[in-house]
Amino acid sequence: MVPVKRYTKKVHVEEIVPSVVEPSFGIGRIMYALFEHNFRMREGDEQRTYLALPPVIAPYKCSVLPLSNNPDFTTFVKQISSALTQHDVSHKVDASSGSIGRRYARTDQIAIPFGITIDFDTLKTPHSATLRERDSMKQIRAEVTELPKIVSDLSNGKRTWEDVLNNYPLFEQQESTK
């Protein structure tokens, strides 16, 4: 036979400090939230999708797009690319043979907020190019030497797109063709 004894034992408070923190979320949930809040479709055209990351966190801040493979555009592409690098603006040059609309759509899909287009009016003096904003798709025309500073200020939050629209002429269409 087994004797059963009852007794009371006084235990003092014992504090336990965990040594491992296990959050209930992972990178998958963060990425899902990022895409959920920033993935957009153009009104009236469900095929035109884009990722609307704010310029401050976008991996590339600007794309440089020559209108065609015209050899005269090469010097301006190199000049703008070099100036963007000097202003610490991450950028991508897309000199592929696709139409400018398709190249804009490609850059919109990878969250590039601004695009500089070199066209035939750039060859005229004073040399100017267009700057396009991804979300509104509005464009301005400014001198080639001013564009890197404008993009840098926009990317770092020192300037707003509305301010740029108020200070530069809105680009409607190209004046000349070749």
Side-chain angles (χ1 to χ4, degrees):
M1 299 251 174
V2 179
V4 177
K5 295 182 182 179
R6 289 185 169 214
Y7 63 90
T8 3
K9 182 179 176 183
K10 193 172 188 180
V11 178
H12 296 284
V13 176
E14 185 178 335
E15 291 185 28
I16 300 172
V17 178
S19 60
V20 176
V21 176
E22 295 185 53
S24 63
F25 59 89
I27 191 69
R29 289 185 187 196
I30 294 170
M31 293 301 293
Y32 178 78
L34 185 76
F35 290 138
E36 178 71 22
H37 293 322
N38 294 302
F39 185 76
R40 309 254 165 73
M41 286 186 271
R42 300 265 183 228
E43 285 188 33
D45 190 3
E46 289 76 28
Q47 297 295 322
R48 298 266 322 259
T49 57
Y50 64 102
L51 192 56
L53 293 178
V56 175
I57 64 168
Y60 288 114
K61 311 297 185 203
C62 183
S63 61
V64 180
L65 308 164
L67 192 61
S68 69
N69 291 330
N70 187 331
D72 295 335
F73 293 162
T74 308
T75 56
F76 292 105
V77 170
K78 288 179 183 176
Q79 177 187 351
I80 291 172
S81 180
S82 174
L84 287 169
T85 302
Q86 288 174 356
H87 281 88
D88 292 326
V89 175
S90 58
H91 62 282
K92 179 180 172 113
V93 176
D94 186 359
S96 62
S97 61
S99 72
I100 193 69
R102 285 191 179 153
R103 288 189 280 161
Y104 278 148
R106 254 195 317 258
T107 60
D108 292 350
Q109 287 177 340
I110 58 173
I112 299 177
F114 305 105
I116 296 174
T117 306
I118 293 126
D119 54 19
F120 292 105
D121 289 341
T122 306
L123 302 175
K124 295 179 181 178
T125 305
H127 304 296
S128 64
T130 62
L131 176 65
R132 175 186 178 265
E133 195 254 347
R134 173 197 60 218
D135 297 338
S136 67
M137 295 193 323
K138 291 184 178 177
Q139 298 182 35
I140 57 127
R141 181 165 283 283
E143 287 192 29
V144 169
T145 55
E146 295 177 33
L147 286 172
K149 178 69 174 149
I150 295 170
V151 174
S152 175
D153 289 348
L154 286 167
S155 300
N156 295 324
K158 294 178 184 174
R159 200 168 187 184
T160 63
W161 181 246
E162 288 75 28
D163 176 48
V164 172
L165 286 175
N166 292 333
N167 292 316
Y168 293 93
L170 194 63
F171 176 74
E172 298 295 331
Q173 66 182 9
Q174 189 172 346
E175 291 177 17
S176 64
T177 58
K178 233 181 194 183

